[in-house]
Amino acid sequence: MIHPYDEPVYLISIVAKILDIHPQTLRQYERENLICPARTNGRIRLYSQRDIDRIKLILRLTRELGVNLAGVDIILRLKENVDAMESEMAELRYEMDKAKNSYGVSPSKAMVTKRSIYDIIIFEE
């Protein structure tokens, strides 16, 4: 059975075996707030495929690139920020295309849209 990407279904022992690491390594990553597995009512850790992919990235950074856990934390936070900005840019492009198609707004006119705490102004090139 295939589970959704974010569904927490894997026990710590299974994840440790899949990734060939000690369960204590996973506990350390959790203490360092690098991962945050779900918990059952009995406080058993459950990991999703997304968690496993994140752990794989952490292992690659530490093993192959020699990054310490503090550096991994910074890299992961920056990656999350970049991902959020890319998502927002895609949404803005969609809104611009929709405005151009629906309201006849030509690309030669400036468009302004408000996003969170900053303004994005798009001018004719």
mmCIF file of all heavy atoms in Angstrom, residues 76-102:
data_model
loop_
_atom_site.group_PDB
_atom_site.id
_atom_site.type_symbol
_atom_site.label_atom_id
_atom_site.label_comp_id
_atom_site.label_asym_id
_atom_site.label_seq_id
_atom_site.Cartn_x
_atom_site.Cartn_y
_atom_site.Cartn_z
ATOM 1 N N LEU A 76 18.840 24.314 5.963
ATOM 2 C CA LEU A 76 17.438 23.894 5.855
ATOM 3 C C LEU A 76 16.488 25.076 5.957
ATOM 4 O O LEU A 76 15.488 25.148 5.233
ATOM 5 C CB LEU A 76 17.112 22.836 6.911
ATOM 6 C CG LEU A 76 17.796 21.485 6.732
ATOM 7 C CD1 LEU A 76 17.461 20.559 7.903
ATOM 8 C CD2 LEU A 76 17.423 20.833 5.414
ATOM 9 N N ARG A 77 16.802 26.007 6.850
ATOM 10 C CA ARG A 77 15.946 27.198 6.974
ATOM 11 C C ARG A 77 15.986 28.035 5.702
ATOM 12 O O ARG A 77 14.957 28.532 5.230
ATOM 13 C CB ARG A 77 16.367 28.041 8.170
ATOM 14 C CG ARG A 77 16.023 27.413 9.498
ATOM 15 C CD ARG A 77 16.604 28.255 10.641
ATOM 16 N NE ARG A 77 16.618 27.525 11.874
ATOM 17 C CZ ARG A 77 15.784 27.758 12.874
ATOM 18 N NH1 ARG A 77 14.873 28.690 12.762
ATOM 19 N NH2 ARG A 77 15.865 27.054 13.977
ATOM 20 N N LEU A 78 17.193 28.210 5.146
ATOM 21 C CA LEU A 78 17.329 28.967 3.903
ATOM 22 C C LEU A 78 16.588 28.270 2.762
ATOM 23 O O LEU A 78 15.918 28.919 1.954
ATOM 24 C CB LEU A 78 18.806 29.146 3.543
ATOM 25 C CG LEU A 78 19.578 30.122 4.419
ATOM 26 C CD1 LEU A 78 21.068 30.062 4.088
ATOM 27 C CD2 LEU A 78 19.052 31.540 4.270
ATOM 28 N N LYS A 79 16.685 26.949 2.710
ATOM 29 C CA LYS A 79 15.984 26.181 1.680
ATOM 30 C C LYS A 79 14.476 26.362 1.803
ATOM 31 O O LYS A 79 13.780 26.538 0.798
ATOM 32 C CB LYS A 79 16.348 24.704 1.782
ATOM 33 C CG LYS A 79 15.722 23.838 0.705
ATOM 34 C CD LYS A 79 16.068 22.381 0.896
ATOM 35 C CE LYS A 79 15.450 21.479 -0.134
ATOM 36 N NZ LYS A 79 14.048 21.708 -0.445
ATOM 37 N N GLU A 80 13.969 26.351 3.020
ATOM 38 C CA GLU A 80 12.536 26.559 3.233
ATOM 39 C C GLU A 80 12.122 27.954 2.775
ATOM 40 O O GLU A 80 11.061 28.127 2.149
ATOM 41 C CB GLU A 80 12.173 26.354 4.701
ATOM 42 C CG GLU A 80 12.231 24.905 5.131
ATOM 43 C CD GLU A 80 12.147 24.719 6.646
ATOM 44 O OE1 GLU A 80 11.988 25.719 7.386
ATOM 45 O OE2 GLU A 80 12.257 23.556 7.079
ATOM 46 N N ASN A 81 12.956 28.959 3.067
ATOM 47 C CA ASN A 81 12.656 30.329 2.633
ATOM 48 C C ASN A 81 12.645 30.431 1.107
ATOM 49 O O ASN A 81 11.752 31.055 0.524
ATOM 50 C CB ASN A 81 13.665 31.318 3.207
ATOM 51 C CG ASN A 81 13.477 31.545 4.693
ATOM 52 O OD1 ASN A 81 12.446 31.223 5.260
ATOM 53 N ND2 ASN A 81 14.494 32.087 5.337
ATOM 54 N N VAL A 82 13.638 29.833 0.457
ATOM 55 C CA VAL A 82 13.706 29.855 -1.002
ATOM 56 C C VAL A 82 12.495 29.142 -1.598
ATOM 57 O O VAL A 82 11.876 29.639 -2.545
ATOM 58 C CB VAL A 82 15.033 29.226 -1.496
ATOM 59 C CG1 VAL A 82 14.999 28.974 -2.995
ATOM 60 C CG2 VAL A 82 16.213 30.116 -1.129
ATOM 61 N N ASP A 83 12.140 27.980 -1.044
ATOM 62 C CA ASP A 83 10.971 27.245 -1.534
ATOM 63 C C ASP A 83 9.700 28.073 -1.406
ATOM 64 O O ASP A 83 8.869 28.093 -2.320
ATOM 65 C CB ASP A 83 10.811 25.917 -0.782
ATOM 66 C CG ASP A 83 11.895 24.905 -1.113
ATOM 67 O OD1 ASP A 83 12.644 25.108 -2.095
ATOM 68 O OD2 ASP A 83 12.002 23.903 -0.363
ATOM 69 N N ALA A 84 9.553 28.763 -0.278
ATOM 70 C CA ALA A 84 8.369 29.605 -0.072
ATOM 71 C C ALA A 84 8.340 30.755 -1.078
ATOM 72 O O ALA A 84 7.286 31.077 -1.637
ATOM 73 C CB ALA A 84 8.343 30.141 1.356
ATOM 74 N N MET A 85 9.500 31.364 -1.317
ATOM 75 C CA MET A 85 9.558 32.466 -2.278
ATOM 76 C C MET A 85 9.283 31.979 -3.695
ATOM 77 O O MET A 85 8.595 32.663 -4.464
ATOM 78 C CB MET A 85 10.924 33.153 -2.219
ATOM 79 C CG MET A 85 11.079 34.055 -1.011
ATOM 80 S SD MET A 85 12.590 35.006 -1.137
ATOM 81 C CE MET A 85 13.489 34.347 0.244
ATOM 82 N N GLU A 86 9.807 30.819 -4.058
ATOM 83 C CA GLU A 86 9.537 30.269 -5.388
ATOM 84 C C GLU A 86 8.052 29.972 -5.563
ATOM 85 O O GLU A 86 7.486 30.228 -6.628
ATOM 86 C CB GLU A 86 10.368 29.009 -5.621
ATOM 87 C CG GLU A 86 11.827 29.298 -5.874
ATOM 88 C CD GLU A 86 12.676 28.043 -6.017
ATOM 89 O OE1 GLU A 86 12.191 26.934 -5.692
ATOM 90 O OE2 GLU A 86 13.822 28.181 -6.462
ATOM 91 N N SER A 87 7.427 29.473 -4.526
ATOM 92 C CA SER A 87 5.993 29.203 -4.580
ATOM 93 C C SER A 87 5.211 30.504 -4.744
ATOM 94 O O SER A 87 4.262 30.579 -5.536
ATOM 95 C CB SER A 87 5.571 28.468 -3.305
ATOM 96 O OG SER A 87 4.188 28.294 -3.275
ATOM 97 N N GLU A 88 5.626 31.510 -4.008
ATOM 98 C CA GLU A 88 4.955 32.804 -4.097
ATOM 99 C C GLU A 88 5.146 33.425 -5.478
ATOM 100 O O GLU A 88 4.220 33.998 -6.054
ATOM 101 C CB GLU A 88 5.495 33.735 -3.011
ATOM 102 C CG GLU A 88 4.694 34.998 -2.844
ATOM 103 C CD GLU A 88 5.085 35.785 -1.618
ATOM 104 O OE1 GLU A 88 5.546 35.188 -0.626
ATOM 105 O OE2 GLU A 88 4.933 37.012 -1.669
ATOM 106 N N MET A 89 6.342 33.291 -6.033
ATOM 107 C CA MET A 89 6.592 33.818 -7.376
ATOM 108 C C MET A 89 5.726 33.106 -8.408
ATOM 109 O O MET A 89 5.186 33.741 -9.320
ATOM 110 C CB MET A 89 8.083 33.692 -7.734
ATOM 111 C CG MET A 89 8.938 34.717 -7.031
ATOM 112 S SD MET A 89 10.735 34.598 -7.291
ATOM 113 C CE MET A 89 10.945 33.738 -8.785
ATOM 114 N N ALA A 90 5.589 31.785 -8.276
ATOM 115 C CA ALA A 90 4.742 31.031 -9.204
ATOM 116 C C ALA A 90 3.292 31.501 -9.104
ATOM 117 O O ALA A 90 2.602 31.647 -10.121
ATOM 118 C CB ALA A 90 4.848 29.534 -8.917
ATOM 119 N N GLU A 91 2.852 31.751 -7.872
ATOM 120 C CA GLU A 91 1.483 32.232 -7.672
ATOM 121 C C GLU A 91 1.302 33.616 -8.293
ATOM 122 O O GLU A 91 0.286 33.895 -8.939
ATOM 123 C CB GLU A 91 1.180 32.279 -6.172
ATOM 124 C CG GLU A 91 -0.252 32.608 -5.855
ATOM 125 C CD GLU A 91 -0.522 32.612 -4.352
ATOM 126 O OE1 GLU A 91 0.080 31.804 -3.620
ATOM 127 O OE2 GLU A 91 -1.327 33.453 -3.923
ATOM 128 N N LEU A 92 2.290 34.477 -8.137
ATOM 129 C CA LEU A 92 2.218 35.818 -8.717
ATOM 130 C C LEU A 92 2.213 35.759 -10.252
ATOM 131 O O LEU A 92 1.475 36.501 -10.900
ATOM 132 C CB LEU A 92 3.387 36.680 -8.227
ATOM 133 C CG LEU A 92 3.301 37.130 -6.771
ATOM 134 C CD1 LEU A 92 4.612 37.751 -6.329
ATOM 135 C CD2 LEU A 92 2.152 38.103 -6.582
ATOM 136 N N ARG A 93 3.037 34.858 -10.816
ATOM 137 C CA ARG A 93 3.034 34.706 -12.270
ATOM 138 C C ARG A 93 1.651 34.256 -12.756
ATOM 139 O O ARG A 93 1.152 34.745 -13.776
ATOM 140 C CB ARG A 93 4.093 33.680 -12.693
ATOM 141 C CG ARG A 93 5.485 34.225 -12.705
ATOM 142 C CD ARG A 93 6.454 33.232 -13.364
ATOM 143 N NE ARG A 93 7.796 33.621 -13.045
ATOM 144 C CZ ARG A 93 8.575 33.032 -12.148
ATOM 145 N NH1 ARG A 93 8.132 31.995 -11.473
ATOM 146 N NH2 ARG A 93 9.786 33.466 -11.912
ATOM 147 N N TYR A 94 1.062 33.322 -12.011
ATOM 148 C CA TYR A 94 -0.275 32.845 -12.360
ATOM 149 C C TYR A 94 -1.277 34.002 -12.315
ATOM 150 O O TYR A 94 -2.091 34.173 -13.220
ATOM 151 C CB TYR A 94 -0.693 31.718 -11.418
ATOM 152 C CG TYR A 94 -2.126 31.309 -11.578
ATOM 153 C CD1 TYR A 94 -2.521 30.499 -12.642
ATOM 154 C CD2 TYR A 94 -3.097 31.739 -10.679
ATOM 155 C CE1 TYR A 94 -3.846 30.132 -12.808
ATOM 156 C CE2 TYR A 94 -4.421 31.382 -10.824
ATOM 157 C CZ TYR A 94 -4.788 30.578 -11.887
ATOM 158 O OH TYR A 94 -6.101 30.227 -12.047
ATOM 159 N N GLU A 95 -1.219 34.812 -11.260
ATOM 160 C CA GLU A 95 -2.138 35.945 -11.121
ATOM 161 C C GLU A 95 -1.929 36.964 -12.238
ATOM 162 O O GLU A 95 -2.886 37.532 -12.756
ATOM 163 C CB GLU A 95 -1.961 36.610 -9.754
ATOM 164 C CG GLU A 95 -2.491 35.777 -8.606
ATOM 165 C CD GLU A 95 -2.225 36.396 -7.241
ATOM 166 O OE1 GLU A 95 -1.850 37.585 -7.174
ATOM 167 O OE2 GLU A 95 -2.388 35.677 -6.242
ATOM 168 N N MET A 96 -0.667 37.195 -12.624
ATOM 169 C CA MET A 96 -0.390 38.125 -13.721
ATOM 170 C C MET A 96 -0.969 37.603 -15.030
ATOM 171 O O MET A 96 -1.595 38.349 -15.784
ATOM 172 C CB MET A 96 1.123 38.339 -13.872
ATOM 173 C CG MET A 96 1.707 39.290 -12.865
ATOM 174 S SD MET A 96 3.496 39.500 -13.022
ATOM 175 C CE MET A 96 3.786 39.426 -14.754
ATOM 176 N N ASP A 97 -0.744 36.309 -15.289
ATOM 177 C CA ASP A 97 -1.278 35.718 -16.513
ATOM 178 C C ASP A 97 -2.804 35.789 -16.529
ATOM 179 O O ASP A 97 -3.415 36.076 -17.558
ATOM 180 C CB ASP A 97 -0.818 34.272 -16.663
ATOM 181 C CG ASP A 97 0.661 34.157 -17.010
ATOM 182 O OD1 ASP A 97 1.254 35.172 -17.456
ATOM 183 O OD2 ASP A 97 1.227 33.067 -16.821
ATOM 184 N N LYS A 98 -3.410 35.521 -15.376
ATOM 185 C CA LYS A 98 -4.864 35.568 -15.263
ATOM 186 C C LYS A 98 -5.364 36.995 -15.521
ATOM 187 O O LYS A 98 -6.351 37.195 -16.239
ATOM 188 C CB LYS A 98 -5.279 35.086 -13.876
ATOM 189 C CG LYS A 98 -6.744 34.778 -13.730
ATOM 190 C CD LYS A 98 -7.010 34.015 -12.459
ATOM 191 C CE LYS A 98 -7.603 34.952 -11.450
ATOM 192 N NZ LYS A 98 -7.985 34.295 -10.198
ATOM 193 N N ALA A 99 -4.667 37.977 -14.959
ATOM 194 C CA ALA A 99 -5.073 39.373 -15.156
ATOM 195 C C ALA A 99 -4.918 39.775 -16.617
ATOM 196 O O ALA A 99 -5.781 40.447 -17.183
ATOM 197 C CB ALA A 99 -4.241 40.291 -14.262
ATOM 198 N N LYS A 100 -3.838 39.337 -17.225
ATOM 199 C CA LYS A 100 -3.613 39.659 -18.646
ATOM 200 C C LYS A 100 -4.711 39.056 -19.510
ATOM 201 O O LYS A 100 -5.232 39.710 -20.400
ATOM 202 C CB LYS A 100 -2.244 39.136 -19.108
ATOM 203 C CG LYS A 100 -1.095 40.009 -18.686
ATOM 204 C CD LYS A 100 0.188 39.554 -19.364
ATOM 205 C CE LYS A 100 0.988 38.721 -18.427
ATOM 206 N NZ LYS A 100 2.287 38.309 -18.960
ATOM 207 N N ASN A 101 -5.056 37.798 -19.234
ATOM 208 C CA ASN A 101 -6.050 37.098 -20.042
ATOM 209 C C ASN A 101 -7.472 37.566 -19.749
ATOM 210 O O ASN A 101 -8.285 37.701 -20.653
ATOM 211 C CB ASN A 101 -5.945 35.588 -19.838
ATOM 212 C CG ASN A 101 -4.649 35.032 -20.363
ATOM 213 O OD1 ASN A 101 -4.050 35.602 -21.267
ATOM 214 N ND2 ASN A 101 -4.193 33.932 -19.796
ATOM 215 N N SER A 102 -7.791 37.798 -18.479
ATOM 216 C CA SER A 102 -9.166 38.130 -18.101
ATOM 217 C C SER A 102 -9.521 39.588 -18.299
ATOM 218 O O SER A 102 -10.633 39.914 -18.678
ATOM 219 C CB SER A 102 -9.395 37.772 -16.630
ATOM 220 O OG SER A 102 -9.231 36.399 -16.441
#
